[in-house]
């Protein structure tokens, strides 16, 4: 299981949580009320899930990478963002931004050899 893959999947799951009806109500972020922002975040969530799948397949190979991505990465990311949502609702956006930058930096350093 790739740490880079799980961090990208968590970013995507957190974005999908923010754009859900429950997330918009409970988190109460004003920028999510615009339809354009919601659709853009959903598109980027799909892209981030694709990056997560690609990075997991780089680590584990194609056949094992897809299976571990479906059964381990996605379920782990879902439950981790679920815990963050209920326990750290006040800092959810800041955690999402921090995790995004951490994912970018970790993927760049691991796969580009910096």
């Amino acid at each position: 299981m790739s740490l880079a893959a799980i961090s990208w999947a968590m970013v995507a799951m957190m974005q999908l949580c923010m754009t859900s009806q429950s997330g918009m109500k409970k988190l109460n972020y004003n920028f999510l009320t615009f339809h354009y922002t919601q659709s853009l975040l959903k598109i980027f969530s799909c892209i981030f899930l694709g990056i997560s799948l690609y990075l997991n397949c780089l680590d584990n190979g194609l056949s094992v990478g897809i299976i571990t991505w479906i059964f381990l990465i996605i379920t782990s990311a879902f439950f981790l963002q679920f815990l963050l949502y209920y326990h750290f609702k006040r800092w959810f956006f800041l955690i999402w931004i921090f995790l995004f930058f951490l994912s970018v930096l970790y993927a760049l350093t691991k796969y580009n050899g910096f």
Side-chain angles (χ1 to χ4, degrees):
M1 184 164 78
S2 170
L3 182 62
I6 198 164
S7 62
W8 279 108
M10 278 216 26
V11 169
M13 292 290 179
M14 288 175 82
Q15 283 179 334
L16 290 173
C17 179
M18 286 191 295
T19 58
S20 70
Q21 287 182 354
S22 171
M24 287 188 335
K25 246 190 260 183
K26 291 185 181 180
L27 292 173
N28 201 18
Y29 294 140
N30 293 332
F31 69 92
L32 291 176
T33 57
F34 302 112
H35 179 70
Y36 179 74
T37 307
Q38 290 175 9
S39 60
L40 195 63
L41 281 176
K42 288 177 185 178
I43 290 169
F44 278 120
S45 294
C46 293
I47 292 169
F48 293 157
L49 285 174
I51 291 171
S52 171
L53 176 63
Y54 175 72
L55 292 176
N56 198 43
C57 288
L58 277 180
D59 277 352
N60 299 324
L62 188 62
S63 62
V64 175
I66 292 173
I67 292 171
T68 58
W69 184 76
I70 291 171
F71 292 111
L72 291 176
I73 300 290
I74 296 298
T75 54
S76 299
F78 175 75
F79 287 115
L80 285 173
Q81 72 85 23
F82 191 72
L83 289 173
L84 286 174
Y85 178 71
Y86 282 105
H87 292 293
F88 300 106
K89 211 179 290 186
R90 176 182 245 177
W91 300 289
F92 194 77
F93 183 75
L94 294 174
I95 293 170
W96 171 68
I97 292 290
F98 175 74
L99 192 59
F100 174 75
F101 286 120
L102 185 71
S103 301
V104 170
L105 288 175
Y106 185 71
L108 284 177
T109 57
K110 183 173 181 180
Y111 296 104
N112 284 336
F114 290 124

